[in-house]
Amino acid sequence: MEKLIVHGGCRLRGSVKIGGSKNASLPILAASLLTPDTVKIRHVPDVSDTNYMLQILNSLGASVERSSGTVRIDSMDGISASASYDQVRKMRASICLLGPLMARLHRCTLPLPGGCVIGDRPVDLHIRAMQALGAQVRNSGGNLYLEAPNGLVGTTVDMRGENGPTVLGTDNLMMAAVLAKGVTVIESAAREPEVVDLANFLNKMGAKIEGAGTRRITIIGVDQLTGCDHTVIPDRIEAGTFMVAAAMMGDGVTLRCICQEHLESVSALLTECGHHLEFNNRGDVVTITPAHSPRSGKIVTAPYPGFPTDMQAQMTALFALTPGISVVKETIFPQRFMHCSELKRMGANIKVDNGAAVITGVERLSGAPVMASDLRASAALVLAALAAEGVTEIHRLYHIDRGYERIDEKLQDLGAAIKRAADSESGD
């Protein structure tokens, strides 16, 4: 195991290139199973989640080649319909294999993904979507068994869940429907940019999808899909994380390869808190200058285009050092506050109750040994460590490696005093 050692107090300056979106890459990689032709996907981040997905595709019989952010996949005839538990258990997003396997093979055996530390994330909506298209589903021995002997048939499916639309559920249904007979209409579809990117990828393959990015997506089934060449969108959560880092400890930090449109809610909040953001005309570069007198803020997480749940932990780290009282209300995963106890170890003043955190800004944080509990919580700890006095050790580094490509190297390039080291005390 590894840990991060951060010497706080260094000012960040310079520029950094934002990588491809992890959350867009995963379903796009899974969708490569929909065709026997060659698919080339560019700007795929080198993170553990995408590596796990490529391993799963390889275990299913696909030929996978990876070089410098570009992945080439050939899913020729003979693809297996059964994934192994050893691979699936490492990544909940493996559930997005349901759609492409059912579309192409009309059958699928998939071990149920493991639990998630940020709360219950049921797969009921994914199963309901497959059943709506005609799949027979049974759950036995920890495995999902699905089959549709006569193929999938289009219909209208409402994908609204208890806490709003489901992104991966929308992805799964869209991938299953592209080869189904007839027309499928997805009501209450997720509007996230990652859903739009998947739709664009599928349309390049010959699918007929309209409405991605709205609450209603219409898919006209086709007989077959072909290979294509696609570039994944920038990772808006990585970009948001570096924007917060620049607001906390920046001295003129520029982010390249971003998409301004995807960052509107985060940009609006940072501006509201007094920080200055300057985008170029194309909206693919932004320079962040910290506020001289930062102001407190309020977050209510919501599905896109609302404030993303994947950014609330990072903003909590910023609010910990912002004068006044800030409030974070989590409506997607009400239990997603495990980072707060670790921030309090560093001196933050945070009270968590009933799905909300009230943060009273303090003058300083102190370095301390802390433990990452999930992907975005670990990013919040890195941000706090950059601004803290003294040295912070962040254990369970594997959490942050799930979704941030070379985050330590990118921060080093900006002037941070941060390094990896072997971790003999992680307990893992």
Side-chain angles (χ1 to χ4, degrees), residues 114-133:
C116 183
V117 74
I118 62 173
D120 189 21
R121 294 171 129 182
V123 298
D124 300 23
L125 288 173
H126 300 259
I127 296 172
R128 191 177 77 191
M130 296 303 111
Q131 289 175 322
L133 296 182

mmCIF file of all heavy atoms in Angstrom, residues 114-133:
data_model
loop_
_atom_site.group_PDB
_atom_site.id
_atom_site.type_symbol
_atom_site.label_atom_id
_atom_site.label_comp_id
_atom_site.label_asym_id
_atom_site.label_seq_id
_atom_site.Cartn_x
_atom_site.Cartn_y
_atom_site.Cartn_z
ATOM 1 N N GLY A 114 -19.923 -4.896 -5.266
ATOM 2 C CA GLY A 114 -19.829 -4.741 -3.821
ATOM 3 C C GLY A 114 -20.502 -3.474 -3.338
ATOM 4 O O GLY A 114 -20.931 -2.628 -4.127
ATOM 5 N N GLY A 115 -20.572 -3.315 -2.004
ATOM 6 C CA GLY A 115 -21.201 -2.139 -1.409
ATOM 7 C C GLY A 115 -20.355 -0.901 -1.603
ATOM 8 O O GLY A 115 -19.243 -0.945 -2.116
ATOM 9 N N CYS A 116 -20.887 0.218 -1.187
ATOM 10 C CA CYS A 116 -20.185 1.491 -1.356
ATOM 11 C C CYS A 116 -20.146 2.234 -0.040
ATOM 12 O O CYS A 116 -21.149 2.318 0.662
ATOM 13 C CB CYS A 116 -20.886 2.339 -2.414
ATOM 14 S SG CYS A 116 -20.040 3.887 -2.729
ATOM 15 N N VAL A 117 -18.998 2.785 0.300
ATOM 16 C CA VAL A 117 -18.812 3.419 1.591
ATOM 17 C C VAL A 117 -19.632 4.697 1.734
ATOM 18 O O VAL A 117 -19.912 5.138 2.831
ATOM 19 C CB VAL A 117 -17.315 3.708 1.842
ATOM 20 C CG1 VAL A 117 -16.835 4.867 0.998
ATOM 21 C CG2 VAL A 117 -17.041 3.953 3.304
ATOM 22 N N ILE A 118 -20.053 5.315 0.616
ATOM 23 C CA ILE A 118 -20.799 6.565 0.727
ATOM 24 C C ILE A 118 -22.298 6.328 0.768
ATOM 25 O O ILE A 118 -23.079 7.255 0.661
ATOM 26 C CB ILE A 118 -20.449 7.540 -0.412
ATOM 27 C CG1 ILE A 118 -20.809 6.962 -1.774
ATOM 28 C CG2 ILE A 118 -19.001 7.917 -0.360
ATOM 29 C CD1 ILE A 118 -20.629 7.948 -2.910
ATOM 30 N N GLY A 119 -22.727 5.109 0.944
ATOM 31 C CA GLY A 119 -24.144 4.856 1.116
ATOM 32 C C GLY A 119 -24.665 3.808 0.158
ATOM 33 O O GLY A 119 -23.957 3.300 -0.699
ATOM 34 N N ASP A 120 -25.933 3.489 0.313
ATOM 35 C CA ASP A 120 -26.571 2.453 -0.481
ATOM 36 C C ASP A 120 -26.741 2.921 -1.922
ATOM 37 O O ASP A 120 -27.266 4.004 -2.175
ATOM 38 C CB ASP A 120 -27.938 2.122 0.128
ATOM 39 C CG ASP A 120 -28.561 0.904 -0.531
ATOM 40 O OD1 ASP A 120 -27.809 0.117 -1.122
ATOM 41 O OD2 ASP A 120 -29.790 0.762 -0.444
ATOM 42 N N ARG A 121 -26.270 2.105 -2.867
ATOM 43 C CA ARG A 121 -26.428 2.434 -4.281
ATOM 44 C C ARG A 121 -27.034 1.223 -4.978
ATOM 45 O O ARG A 121 -26.339 0.436 -5.616
ATOM 46 C CB ARG A 121 -25.073 2.785 -4.896
ATOM 47 C CG ARG A 121 -24.455 4.047 -4.332
ATOM 48 C CD ARG A 121 -23.034 4.205 -4.818
ATOM 49 N NE ARG A 121 -22.798 5.517 -5.384
ATOM 50 C CZ ARG A 121 -21.640 5.900 -5.920
ATOM 51 N NH1 ARG A 121 -20.631 5.068 -5.962
ATOM 52 N NH2 ARG A 121 -21.491 7.098 -6.410
ATOM 53 N N PRO A 122 -28.344 1.032 -4.862
ATOM 54 C CA PRO A 122 -28.973 -0.182 -5.363
ATOM 55 C C PRO A 122 -28.945 -0.276 -6.884
ATOM 56 O O PRO A 122 -28.861 0.734 -7.584
ATOM 57 C CB PRO A 122 -30.414 -0.071 -4.846
ATOM 58 C CG PRO A 122 -30.640 1.391 -4.666
ATOM 59 C CD PRO A 122 -29.315 1.960 -4.242
ATOM 60 N N VAL A 123 -29.031 -1.503 -7.381
ATOM 61 C CA VAL A 123 -29.045 -1.729 -8.826
ATOM 62 C C VAL A 123 -30.463 -2.022 -9.312
ATOM 63 O O VAL A 123 -30.648 -2.440 -10.458
ATOM 64 C CB VAL A 123 -28.103 -2.902 -9.196
ATOM 65 C CG1 VAL A 123 -26.676 -2.576 -8.817
ATOM 66 C CG2 VAL A 123 -28.551 -4.198 -8.542
ATOM 67 N N ASP A 124 -31.446 -1.771 -8.466
ATOM 68 C CA ASP A 124 -32.834 -2.078 -8.825
ATOM 69 C C ASP A 124 -33.259 -1.419 -10.131
ATOM 70 O O ASP A 124 -33.962 -2.030 -10.943
ATOM 71 C CB ASP A 124 -33.790 -1.624 -7.712
ATOM 72 C CG ASP A 124 -33.508 -2.302 -6.379
ATOM 73 O OD1 ASP A 124 -32.373 -2.747 -6.189
ATOM 74 O OD2 ASP A 124 -34.428 -2.372 -5.547
ATOM 75 N N LEU A 125 -32.868 -0.156 -10.328
ATOM 76 C CA LEU A 125 -33.293 0.552 -11.533
ATOM 77 C C LEU A 125 -32.682 -0.064 -12.787
ATOM 78 O O LEU A 125 -33.314 -0.089 -13.854
ATOM 79 C CB LEU A 125 -32.929 2.028 -11.434
ATOM 80 C CG LEU A 125 -33.760 2.858 -10.442
ATOM 81 C CD1 LEU A 125 -33.191 4.268 -10.311
ATOM 82 C CD2 LEU A 125 -35.215 2.923 -10.869
ATOM 83 N N HIS A 126 -31.460 -0.562 -12.672
ATOM 84 C CA HIS A 126 -30.825 -1.228 -13.814
ATOM 85 C C HIS A 126 -31.607 -2.491 -14.180
ATOM 86 O O HIS A 126 -31.861 -2.761 -15.359
ATOM 87 C CB HIS A 126 -29.380 -1.604 -13.470
ATOM 88 C CG HIS A 126 -28.509 -0.449 -13.107
ATOM 89 N ND1 HIS A 126 -27.609 0.117 -13.977
ATOM 90 C CD2 HIS A 126 -28.393 0.250 -11.949
ATOM 91 C CE1 HIS A 126 -26.973 1.115 -13.380
ATOM 92 N NE2 HIS A 126 -27.440 1.214 -12.144
ATOM 93 N N ILE A 127 -31.967 -3.262 -13.170
ATOM 94 C CA ILE A 127 -32.715 -4.507 -13.393
ATOM 95 C C ILE A 127 -34.086 -4.206 -13.983
ATOM 96 O O ILE A 127 -34.536 -4.856 -14.937
ATOM 97 C CB ILE A 127 -32.848 -5.287 -12.071
ATOM 98 C CG1 ILE A 127 -31.465 -5.724 -11.582
ATOM 99 C CG2 ILE A 127 -33.766 -6.489 -12.243
ATOM 100 C CD1 ILE A 127 -31.466 -6.331 -10.197
ATOM 101 N N ARG A 128 -34.750 -3.193 -13.415
ATOM 102 C CA ARG A 128 -36.078 -2.821 -13.905
ATOM 103 C C ARG A 128 -36.026 -2.409 -15.371
ATOM 104 O O ARG A 128 -36.933 -2.717 -16.162
ATOM 105 C CB ARG A 128 -36.631 -1.673 -13.058
ATOM 106 C CG ARG A 128 -38.107 -1.382 -13.299
ATOM 107 C CD ARG A 128 -38.580 -0.275 -12.374
ATOM 108 N NE ARG A 128 -38.127 1.038 -12.845
ATOM 109 C CZ ARG A 128 -38.220 2.143 -12.136
ATOM 110 N NH1 ARG A 128 -38.686 2.096 -10.896
ATOM 111 N NH2 ARG A 128 -37.820 3.296 -12.627
ATOM 112 N N ALA A 129 -34.960 -1.709 -15.758
ATOM 113 C CA ALA A 129 -34.817 -1.280 -17.149
ATOM 114 C C ALA A 129 -34.674 -2.470 -18.085
ATOM 115 O O ALA A 129 -35.292 -2.519 -19.153
ATOM 116 C CB ALA A 129 -33.603 -0.354 -17.278
ATOM 117 N N MET A 130 -33.863 -3.458 -17.686
ATOM 118 C CA MET A 130 -33.689 -4.643 -18.521
ATOM 119 C C MET A 130 -34.990 -5.444 -18.622
ATOM 120 O O MET A 130 -35.343 -5.961 -19.688
ATOM 121 C CB MET A 130 -32.572 -5.540 -17.951
ATOM 122 C CG MET A 130 -31.179 -4.910 -17.945
ATOM 123 S SD MET A 130 -30.578 -4.351 -19.550
ATOM 124 C CE MET A 130 -30.607 -2.581 -19.292
ATOM 125 N N GLN A 131 -35.713 -5.532 -17.518
ATOM 126 C CA GLN A 131 -36.996 -6.240 -17.527
ATOM 127 C C GLN A 131 -37.995 -5.543 -18.437
ATOM 128 O O GLN A 131 -38.774 -6.202 -19.140
ATOM 129 C CB GLN A 131 -37.550 -6.339 -16.108
ATOM 130 C CG GLN A 131 -36.788 -7.299 -15.211
ATOM 131 C CD GLN A 131 -37.279 -7.279 -13.777
ATOM 132 O OE1 GLN A 131 -37.612 -6.224 -13.246
ATOM 133 N NE2 GLN A 131 -37.325 -8.454 -13.142
ATOM 134 N N ALA A 132 -37.969 -4.210 -18.453
ATOM 135 C CA ALA A 132 -38.895 -3.462 -19.302
ATOM 136 C C ALA A 132 -38.663 -3.764 -20.783
ATOM 137 O O ALA A 132 -39.611 -3.760 -21.585
ATOM 138 C CB ALA A 132 -38.743 -1.968 -19.042
ATOM 139 N N LEU A 133 -37.419 -4.059 -21.131
ATOM 140 C CA LEU A 133 -37.098 -4.401 -22.523
ATOM 141 C C LEU A 133 -37.330 -5.876 -22.824
ATOM 142 O O LEU A 133 -37.073 -6.318 -23.955
ATOM 143 C CB LEU A 133 -35.641 -4.034 -22.828
ATOM 144 C CG LEU A 133 -35.269 -2.545 -22.761
ATOM 145 C CD1 LEU A 133 -33.810 -2.349 -23.138
ATOM 146 C CD2 LEU A 133 -36.173 -1.704 -23.640
#
